Amino acid sequence: MSDLATTPLTDNAAPYDALLVDAAVGPLRRFVPDASTAKWAISLASKPRTTARRLGGLAGEAARIAAGTSEIGPRRGDRRFKDVAWTGNPLLHRLVQLYLAGGRTAEQLVEDAGLNDRDRKRVRFLVENITEAVSPSNVPLVNPESAKTAIDTGGLSLARGGAALVRDLASAPRLPEMVDGSGFSVGDNVAGTPGAVVFRNEVFELIQYTPQTDQVFEVPVLIVPPTINKYYALDLAPGRSMVEFHLQNNRQVFVMSWRNPDARHAEWNLETYVQAILDALDTVEEVADSEKTALAAMCSGGILASIATAYLAATGGQDRIAAFLLAVTVLDNADAGTAGALIDPAMAEVAKARSARTGYLDGKYLAEIFAWLRPSDLVWNYWVNNYLLGKKPPAFDILFWNADTTRMTAGLHADFVDLAMDNTVIRPGELSVLGVPIDLGAITVDSYVVAGIADHITPWESCYRTTQLFGGETRFVLSNSGHIAAMVNPPGNPKSSFHTGQDHGPDPRAWLKNAETHEGSWWNDAASWLAQRSGELKAAPKELGTARLEPLAEAPGTYVFDK
């Protein structure tokens, strides 16, 4: 079992929809001292002996560091200090030790303060980010690899890094570039699975993919992607495409490709997108000549699809859904971790007002928030590579997709913020959509719920609570990966594994303790589960679309290219 399994990630996680507040307001407010910081300072001042003991301990450790007798060192696997010079050079070794001792003391002082959960998370986030920022590995020339590279290139590495810094600061998201996207082309080596757009309206395009087997299951699959970033995380390179995988497993596959909205579409809201899913479902049934469809959805698309399914349950149409697959989606936002601690109703109103002024929330700002949740990996790692070493970032299809952000309409942004703050979707009847009260418990169709154990966007413990919300039989699967890697999880990776269990009680930790571990990708498990709910095999269609719904464009369509 992964080491991560022993520590609840909800403490440090930040659910997708709650982060929409910070994406509108901006991340800098998190680094400005606030009321929680003041409470921390007051609490430490009221405990002078405890504070003095901690500071005295730091002074003692500093003395041992100076004398060369300190045993403090980086944790195993800390990539910041992997260069041998960090330990071989006495001055650098002592600098690292002093940095680590100071960071450890700061963490201890946060715990010593005895703050309530909300204030503790706020202060800890501030302290952790400042500690990451002041690491000696982030300083040009102090970093030994930076110094060696500068000497080897005659200073050219620092010149290239400085130019890259200026470019990155010139426009949002004002972060180090994370990917060299020059080698990727949408519709070619990413999002290249053959198919055609068979339906288009203002909100989305519906792509039907060309069958890759002679026979297909009677029940088609409709995939609802997230509303931030383009849909093609589900259709990356050959061998890494969920779409391709399902096609090769005898499925008829349809995917919604959301339009990249702008200020003209500010009023599109939760109901707009739920109606879009219902429209897509109508089209799939017509094209596939099927009365039932397997509905699969991811992240924010999962929130929308869950509400759409509950709408069908309330209006007598649930029998149109043969199976419901939900990946990395949080429906119950109770105790959702750091993000919940960092927002409040007043700030939520400010966030909604700001997106209302522009008509949308720019996905680049959300990308900025995501990066600062894991600053060591997503900010300072690239700071060193791009600016201190003057190198290009790596070429990686997932990171290319991640950088291809989209906007979110002000209406949908406001609705998602309200759902995160008020948690109304889990309480029967408190949320109404298209004039119908929503009750997730009325969803009795079999469901398959996937989460990632290392997910810092939709923490697995929160995803697990979906098992307590639906009224039907639920299979919960826990992948050993993070948010994106849980979706992009093709068979063949020797490091992949997942957990399953039969008894879905209310405690996710108890479930995990008794869960069975399986080697390989959960995709194969999902394919077997879905096959039992997909009807019989029949001859694959020779043509895409119908006589009425003729193909409008080849996949990946036109909306995917909107900037």
Side-chain angles (χ1 to χ4, degrees):
M1 185 178 296
S2 167
D3 291 341
L4 287 166
T6 62
T7 304
L9 287 183
T10 46
D11 239 16
N12 296 316
Y16 167 87
D17 40 339
L19 291 177
L20 296 176
V21 171
D22 274 327
V25 176
L28 289 180
R29 75 174 187 88
R30 291 190 174 193
F31 301 94
V32 177
D34 58 8
S36 296
T37 316
K39 292 177 184 178
W40 180 42
I42 293 170
S43 178
L44 292 179
S46 68
K47 302 176 180 179
R49 292 184 179 179
T50 300
T51 304
R53 185 177 72 252
R54 290 298 186 197
L55 295 177
L58 176 60
E61 189 66 45
R64 288 189 290 275
I65 291 171
T69 60
S70 173
E71 296 182 358
I72 192 171
R75 68 182 184 280
R76 185 177 180 181
D78 191 335
R79 294 177 297 174
R80 296 175 299 174
F81 307 115
K82 64 181 181 180
D83 194 292
V84 294
W86 288 115
T87 52
N89 181 296
L91 182 60
L92 290 178
H93 182 53
R94 286 170 170 78
L95 180 62
V96 170
Q97 287 184 313
L98 188 61
Y99 162 74
L100 295 172
R104 184 176 64 182
T105 301
E107 292 174 0
Q108 292 169 337
L109 288 171
V110 173
E111 299 305 318
D112 289 341
L115 301 172
N116 63 40
D117 190 54
R118 180 183 178 86
D119 290 328
R120 176 179 59 83
K121 288 176 179 177
R122 283 174 176 249
V123 174
R124 187 173 64 185
F125 181 88
L126 175 65
V127 169
E128 288 177 352
N129 274 270
I130 291 175
T131 301
E132 291 282 359
V134 300
S135 171
S137 61
N138 299 332
V139 182
L141 302 181
V142 171
N143 183 316
E145 191 176 3
S146 170
K148 293 172 188 174
T149 304
I151 293 172
D152 292 343
T153 63
L156 186 59
S157 61
L158 293 178
R160 287 196 299 260
L165 175 61
V166 171
R167 285 197 304 272
D168 290 341
L169 290 177
S171 61
R174 296 181 175 83
L175 293 168
E177 189 176 30
M178 298 182 191
V179 63
D180 178 7
S182 59
F184 297 105
S185 176
V186 175
D188 184 12
N189 57 355
V190 293
T193 301
V197 174
V198 294
F199 178 84
R200 177 190 296 133
N201 65 16
E202 277 197 309
V203 183
F204 74 99
E205 291 181 328
L206 182 67
I207 301 171
Q208 179 188 13
Y209 287 91
T210 304
Q212 297 189 10
T213 55
D214 292 334
Q215 291 186 308
V216 294
F217 284 106
E218 292 175 319
V219 175
V221 177
L222 170 61
I223 301 178
V224 182
T227 51
I228 286 286
N229 293 95
K230 308 293 177 63
Y231 81 90
Y232 62 85
L234 310 172
D235 185 27
L236 286 171
R240 289 165 51 75
S241 166
M242 182 184 292
V243 168
E244 177 191 64
F245 173 82
H246 283 299
L247 290 169
Q248 293 173 352
N249 280 270
N250 303 91
R251 309 207 186 285
Q252 303 177 74
V253 180
F254 296 78
V255 176
M256 299 179 72
S257 175
W258 299 113
R259 183 175 192 168
N260 189 5
D262 55 40
R264 295 171 299 171
H265 313 115
E267 294 184 358
W268 290 359
N269 58 13
L270 189 70
E271 292 190 335
T272 307
Y273 284 83
V274 169
Q275 182 62 58
I277 295 173
L278 299 175
D279 293 341
L281 186 62
D282 291 341
T283 306
V284 170
E285 290 173 351
E286 179 178 347
V287 173
D289 190 23
S290 174
E291 295 180 353
K292 291 180 177 289
T293 301
L295 185 61
M298 289 79 189
C299 199
S300 62
I303 300 172
L304 298 168
S306 297
I307 295 172
T309 304
Y311 171 88
L312 290 173
T315 55
Q318 186 174 192
D319 57 353
R320 298 169 62 186
I321 306 299
F324 188 32
L325 293 86
L326 206 58
V328 293
T329 299
V330 172
L331 298 176
D332 184 354
N333 282 281
D335 190 27
T338 298
L342 295 175
I343 61 177
D344 53 46
M347 189 58 65
E349 292 303 316
V350 171
K352 291 190 291 184
R354 290 196 178 182
S355 66
R357 282 198 294 271
T358 58
Y360 57 82
L361 171 70
D362 197 321
K364 293 178 181 178
Y365 297 115
L366 190 60
E368 187 175 12
I369 297 298
F370 284 159
W372 284 110
L373 289 174
R374 295 168 54 200
S376 181
D377 293 333
L378 300 181
V379 178
W380 302 115
N381 175 46
Y382 294 102
W383 171 278
V384 172
N385 180 82
N386 299 9
Y387 307 151
L388 274 60
L389 305 182
K391 296 181 180 179
K392 282 186 171 293
F396 189 32
D397 51 15
I398 289 180
L399 292 177
F400 173 78
W401 164 82
N402 191 55
D404 194 4
T405 59
T406 62
R407 293 172 290 275
M408 177 181 286
T409 68
L412 184 61
H413 175 235
D415 284 344
F416 270 160
V417 168
D418 288 341
L419 287 182
M421 294 294 296
D422 302 331
N423 214 15
T424 52
V425 74
I426 71 166
R427 293 190 288 274
E430 288 204 18
L431 173 69
S432 289
V433 174
L434 302 174
V436 174
I438 297 302
D439 179 5
L440 297 180
I443 299 176
T444 57
V445 64
D446 291 349
S447 57
Y448 187 102
V449 178
V450 181
I453 201 168
D455 192 337
H456 283 71
I457 307 301
T458 54
W460 82 264
E461 296 95 334
S462 296
C463 294
Y464 177 87
R465 288 202 291 271
T466 297
T467 64
Q468 312 300 301
L469 299 177
F470 294 160
E473 180 182 328
T474 299
R475 179 173 178 80
F476 182 77
V477 174
L478 182 59
S479 173
N480 72 329
S481 51
H483 188 71
I484 303 303
M487 290 189 289
V488 185
N489 200 269
N493 183 350
K495 296 182 180 180
S496 290
S497 65
F498 60 95
H499 306 285
T500 62
Q502 299 300 318
D503 183 16
H504 297 103
D507 184 359
R509 312 304 301 178
W511 174 88
L512 181 57
K513 183 178 179 180
N514 297 308
E516 180 181 359
T517 302
H518 309 267
E519 298 301 321
S521 168
W522 64 268
W523 283 12
N524 287 321
D525 182 76
S528 298
W529 182 89
L530 192 56
Q532 299 172 27
R533 295 157 177 83
S534 296
E536 302 296 326
L537 289 170
K538 67 177 185 178
K542 302 296 184 183
E543 305 289 339
L544 301 183
T546 66
R548 190 182 76 84
L549 296 171
E550 295 183 355
L552 303 173
E554 292 185 356
T558 59
Y559 284 173
V560 74
F561 295 104
D562 288 349
K563 297 297 182 183

